[in-house]
Amino acid sequence: MKELEIKTAIQISKSPTDVFEAIVNPVKMSNYFISKGDARMETGKTVNWKFPEFPEMTLTVKVIEVKASELIVFEWEGAKDQFLEVRINLEEMPNLNTLVKISEGKMKNTVEGILWYGRNTEGWANFLACLKAYLEYDINLRNGAFDFMNSKKKR
């Protein structure tokens, strides 16, 4: 049975240095993804992220490796009780563009694994779209995007 692994990518019209800073710097990341991070992502550090739409949740990220403007590797609880590795590769492209490649995994091809695969693939696609919108257009796509999840109104 083949294991599941998430792989996704997007090209961003900014330099690898700009993209890297937007990911490792919690102040910049709070402009498109998190509401707060307690530290910069650096090799060997553990950082905590809070999300604007889920104020009661704190996500702990264990940073494994960071190479400036090239690579960010961390481990997190990608699924309940499953600590998974995330790799973010930054590849310089022509005209100061950056190809951002993300992989996460692996999990067994089970019901739990398939649910993780769908949920986290959606999450990484959202992350990449938000990162691109922030860096290229200074827009925070998450503003109000998840208000429906906290709404007590019945539909």
Side-chain angles (χ1 to χ4, degrees):
M1 183 182 302
K2 187 176 177 177
E3 289 184 305
L4 302 171
E5 181 178 16
I6 294 169
K7 292 185 180 200
T8 188
I10 199 167
Q11 183 168 302
I12 296 177
S13 297
K14 291 291 179 179
S15 72
T17 300
D18 290 339
V19 175
F20 177 81
E21 275 304 308
I23 297 170
V24 300
N25 182 332
V27 173
K28 291 189 179 199
M29 192 185 268
S30 70
N31 289 308
Y32 70 93
F33 189 59
I34 61 174
S35 59
K36 184 179 179 188
D38 65 358
R40 182 179 174 85
M41 295 180 80
E42 295 175 348
T43 301
K45 275 194 174 178
T46 298
V47 300
N48 295 293
W49 292 339
K50 291 195 140 312
F51 293 85
E53 55 277 350
F54 310 108
E56 69 287 344
M57 182 176 97
T58 299
L59 191 66
T60 300
V61 175
K62 198 168 137 185
V63 184
I64 297 169
E65 182 180 6
V66 173
K67 290 184 185 174
S69 304
E70 291 180 28
L71 177 70
I72 302 152
V73 181
F74 62 87
E75 183 180 84
W76 68 353
E77 190 174 1
K80 186 170 175 24
D81 300 324
Q82 298 290 319
F83 292 88
L84 303 171
E85 184 178 277
V86 174
R87 296 182 70 82
I88 303 175
N89 289 86
L90 307 176
E91 183 179 323
E92 187 172 356
M93 303 297 284
N95 303 316
L96 285 178
N97 288 307
T98 303
L99 179 59
V100 183
K101 295 180 183 177
I102 298 176
S103 65
E104 180 183 3
K106 299 178 177 176
M107 283 193 59
K108 292 182 181 174
N109 190 352
T110 61
V111 171
E112 180 182 297
I114 291 168
L115 290 172
W116 159 80
Y117 186 83
R119 186 174 48 249
N120 286 29
T121 297
E122 180 181 320
W124 285 118
N126 179 271
F127 172 85
L128 288 173
C130 290
L131 176 63
K132 183 175 180 71
Y134 166 65
L135 286 172
E136 292 183 11
Y137 304 102
D138 198 27
I139 296 171
N140 186 340
L141 292 179
R142 288 179 79 99
N143 279 343
F146 297 97
D147 288 355
F148 72 94
M149 296 176 85
N150 293 323
S151 173
K152 299 214 183 235
K153 296 178 186 175
K154 293 191 178 194
R155 302 194 188 270

